[in-house]
Amino acid sequence: VAAHRGNLDGQYLYAALMAELNPEKEAEYIKQMEEAAEGGSVYALTHYGDLCNSGDKGVPYDRAKAVEYWRKAADKSFPTALYYMGYAYHTAMSVDRDDGLALMYALLAIEREFPRGYRLMGYLHYYGNFLEKDYDKAIEYYEKAVEHSDYLSLCYIGNVYYNVKERRDNDKAFRYFAQAAEFADRGEIISGLPYSRVALCKYYGHGTEQDIVAAADFAFKGAARNHKNSIENTFQIIIHKFRISIPFMSMRKRTERQIVSICPFRGFT
């Protein structure tokens, strides 16, 4: 009804829903979503921008266009777009890296209690490129993100204990990764990152019993979610192991086919 009455937010949401329900007409509905974005709908600017960033659903991959759309939505204080802009500045995504601006957008997102705003603050404290490097603060913000239902931040808490030499505690890291994987199993995390991290721990026996086959299973689960390069690295490790293990040759070939099927990841979690 909102779309029929000319409401652009309604047009975008209706088109997005219909594209899912009628894949044979997806191109038609994608065009309507783009029109809503060009018309200034904050939902469309943000989420169509996300499609530009990932190149999904036949939308041309164009990160510069994604950032252009997100900036317009962020100027209207849309929380998701505030986070996206902060992340773009933190990672130099079609803009010059500027962690000062990343901090500004993170704080604006947190003002609106957007969960990933807390995660972005954790990143900024973890890497220390603008703020002073502070792992305790990073963990504190990651924990706040989890409290606000951003369960993927469990992986980033785990990363502190897995990657930082002076904080290394593989048992604790694995517990966080495994907890995140449980949320992923329940559909509360869409990223394949938890599976990738559990696979790594299983492969090396870090914080858990070494189990190459279980590592492969978790790696496959991550690949099914088209996770970024870390999952491909996990596959490469497993492939290397299987090349010298005759009983696992069929699994190795399955692994290689899975890697070939994964498109280069262009979005972010």
Side-chain angles (χ1 to χ4, degrees):
V1 172
H4 179 70
R5 292 178 177 176
N7 178 280
L8 290 172
D9 290 342
Q11 175 180 321
Y12 174 81
L13 295 170
Y14 173 77
L17 175 63
M18 295 306 291
E20 292 292 330
L21 295 176
N22 300 281
E24 70 281 1
K25 295 184 177 180
E26 183 177 76
E28 174 186 336
Y29 291 117
I30 292 293
K31 181 64 176 176
Q32 293 179 24
M33 293 159 65
E34 181 182 13
E35 289 171 355
E38 292 292 341
S41 160
V42 291
Y43 288 101
L45 288 165
T46 302
H47 298 296
Y48 188 79
D50 203 13
L51 293 177
C52 293
N53 177 56
S54 64
D56 289 340
K57 297 187 179 298
V59 176
Y61 171 58
D62 187 339
R63 280 191 160 174
K65 176 65 74 173
V67 171
E68 176 188 334
Y69 282 150
W70 292 337
R71 191 186 305 278
K72 290 178 180 178
D75 287 345
K76 298 180 181 181
S77 300
F78 193 61
T80 309
L82 291 169
Y83 164 74
Y84 282 171
M85 284 304 303
Y87 190 90
Y89 276 111
H90 176 58
T91 58
M93 184 189 296
S94 294
V95 292
D96 292 335
R97 181 167 183 165
D98 189 331
D99 277 341
L101 285 175
L103 174 62
M104 179 193 77
Y105 281 113
L107 290 172
L108 289 170
I110 286 172
E111 277 184 9
R112 290 152 182 82
E113 297 193 352
F114 186 68
R116 281 177 283 175
Y118 294 101
R119 191 205 303 173
L120 181 54
M121 284 294 291
Y123 293 157
L124 294 171
H125 283 289
Y126 180 88
Y127 291 104
N129 293 318
F130 182 79
L131 299 172
E132 183 178 354
K133 186 175 290 189
D134 188 328
Y135 297 122
D136 289 326
K137 279 286 188 184
I139 291 173
E140 178 184 335
Y141 277 106
Y142 291 146
E143 287 176 340
K144 287 181 179 178
V146 174
E147 290 171 7
H148 286 76
S149 302
D150 177 40
Y151 301 119
L152 187 62
S153 285
L154 289 164
C155 285
Y156 296 102
I157 299 173
N159 282 347
V160 176
Y161 295 112
Y162 195 81
N163 295 329
V164 179
K165 185 176 181 180
E166 59 269 30
R167 298 295 181 93
R168 186 158 297 153
D169 185 331
N170 287 338
D171 290 341
K172 188 176 286 189
F174 178 73
R175 287 198 296 272
Y176 280 109
F177 297 148
Q179 188 179 357
E182 290 174 2
F183 278 107
D185 286 342
R186 296 199 293 268
E188 296 182 73
I189 293 176
I190 61 172
S191 171
L193 177 62
Y195 299 132
S196 173
R197 304 308 285 170
V198 171
L200 197 63
C201 290
K202 290 283 187 182
Y203 181 83
Y204 288 111
H206 289 164
T208 185
E209 183 178 355
Q210 186 177 34
D211 188 333
I212 305 301
V213 175
D217 286 340
F218 278 102
F220 290 137
K221 290 170 76 172
R225 300 190 180 199
N226 198 23
H227 184 54
K228 54 186 177 180
N229 292 337
S230 60
I231 193 65
E232 274 194 49
N233 293 339
T234 303
F235 273 116
Q236 295 295 349
I237 293 170
I238 295 170
I239 287 173
H240 177 74
K241 181 72 174 180
F242 290 162
R243 284 188 192 282
I244 59 173
S245 182
I246 299 302
F248 296 114
M249 286 297 291
S250 62
M251 186 178 289
R252 177 173 69 83
K253 290 185 180 299
R254 176 188 167 199
T255 304
E256 290 174 332
R257 288 196 301 271
Q258 191 82 37
I259 291 174
V260 170
S261 73
I262 300 173
C263 296
F265 184 88
R266 294 187 289 236
F268 54 88
T269 57

